[in-house]
Amino acid sequence: MPSSISALSIGNPFTELAEVDSTNNYAMAQALQGTANHGHAWFAWRQTAGKGSRGKSWNAADGQNIILSVLLSPSPLISAYSFYLSAAVALAVYDFFKSFAGDETTIKWPNDIYWRDRKAAGILVENNIRGNTWQWAVAGMGVNINQTAFNPSLSNPVSLKQITGKTYDVIAMAKILCGCLQIRYQQMQQNKESILEDYNAALYKKGEMVKLKKNNAVFSCTIKGVNAFGQLEIVDAPLSQVEFGEVEWVIK
């Protein structure tokens, strides 16, 4: 492991894959085999079994979007504070998308990127922990860029092209995203508390009344923020905080 991880550029090397089942699976396999280091990025032109959060799949049209996984060293964090890394990745994708789509971009807890009330990107961070040692994290990022026709089963997708009317070079865009991740990763290393502050500043529906669903029961609450352990803090509800996977958003 290099002694100065922050000096290494995320996205170097940058590997293009013609086809893969899952960029996250591929990246983690390379890490475990010892054939990749911090910052290595893999871009897929076609992904046949993309993974989303909570066991869901991630579907994207071939060659039209960013399908990217990056291998990250979690240093100096410990696994108890893994949310800081997840938040840093979310902020990187948020920074990237906002720079093209504008101020209506937000982060929907825990790590979706929204434009207005529509999903523009999804993030899946997977960790390799051995004993008490958090060895690697793989940040998988799917960002809708040029796709304009989506599977009808997706309730609220949106792409950058739909927002701006422009067509983009997806490889060039993926490399810009790597640069955004480099900035947020270094910020996390230097001042992880500022990552949480920035994450909450960009939080979808913060301070607003929303509807969440738990065990098929829908309830209203006001979004207060997210704490250092990744729990959503809410008020005006029977409970004060919820874990990821405990509730679902109800979005019209």
Side-chain angles (χ1 to χ4, degrees):
M1 181 70 61
S3 59
S4 181
I5 291 173
S6 62
L8 298 178
S9 174
I10 290 176
N12 182 22
F14 184 100
T15 301
E16 296 179 42
L17 303 171
E19 181 175 311
V20 70
D21 60 345
S22 159
T23 54
N24 264 30
N25 287 350
Y26 190 94
M28 187 61 79
Q30 298 300 307
L32 297 179
Q33 292 168 15
T35 55
N37 289 309
H38 167 83
H40 197 142
W42 293 267
F43 175 97
W45 287 99
R46 172 178 167 79
Q47 185 174 238
T48 59
K51 297 191 294 184
S53 60
R54 299 178 64 187
K56 297 179 181 179
S57 62
W58 180 265
N59 298 306
D62 298 350
Q64 296 185 35
N65 305 301
I66 292 176
I67 303 172
L68 185 73
S69 289
V70 177
L71 183 62
L72 300 171
S73 168
S75 178
L77 296 180
I78 59 174
S79 59
Y81 293 104
S82 61
F83 182 71
Y84 284 104
L85 180 60
S86 179
V89 176
L91 280 166
V93 183
Y94 162 80
D95 293 340
F96 165 79
F97 203 85
K98 181 182 178 182
S99 69
F100 295 94
D103 290 340
E104 292 180 285
T105 306
T106 57
I107 301 173
K108 184 173 80 66
W109 176 80
N111 51 15
D112 286 336
I113 304 304
Y114 263 48
W115 182 80
R116 296 182 180 173
D117 290 322
R118 301 170 70 184
K119 184 173 179 177
I123 297 160
L124 177 63
V125 178
E126 296 184 296
N127 301 307
N128 176 251
I129 299 173
R130 292 186 180 179
N132 295 322
T133 304
W134 184 12
Q135 293 190 313
W136 293 108
V138 172
M141 297 159 280
V143 188
N144 297 331
I145 301 296
N146 293 323
Q147 187 170 348
T148 56
F150 292 89
N151 189 313
S153 66
L154 301 176
S155 60
N156 59 344
V158 69
S159 71
L160 202 52
K161 184 172 183 177
Q162 289 176 317
I163 296 168
T164 67
K166 300 176 182 178
T167 301
Y168 299 86
D169 180 329
V170 289
I171 291 294
M173 295 291 272
K175 291 180 178 180
I176 293 172
L177 176 55
C178 287
C180 294
L181 183 53
Q182 175 73 20
I183 292 169
R184 289 297 187 175
Y185 178 84
Q186 289 180 309
Q187 178 186 354
M188 180 206 73
Q189 286 190 308
Q190 295 162 4
N191 184 359
K192 68 180 188 294
E193 288 76 18
S194 69
I195 285 287
L196 189 60
E197 292 172 6
D198 291 351
Y199 178 95
N200 277 301
L203 191 62
Y204 176 73
K205 298 294 186 182
K206 184 180 179 183
E208 298 183 32
M209 183 74 75
V210 302
K211 289 184 178 181
L212 301 176
K213 182 169 70 172
K214 180 179 181 180
N215 299 329
N216 295 319
V218 176
F219 64 93
S220 296
C221 64
T222 300
I223 301 297
K224 181 181 178 182
V226 177
N227 64 28
F229 300 101
Q231 298 164 318
L232 182 67
E233 298 184 334
I234 56 178
V235 293
D236 306 322
L239 60 171
S240 61
Q241 59 190 33
V242 292
E243 302 279 353
F244 171 57
E246 186 179 356
V247 296
E248 295 179 33
W249 291 82
V250 179
I251 300 173
K252 295 181 179 179

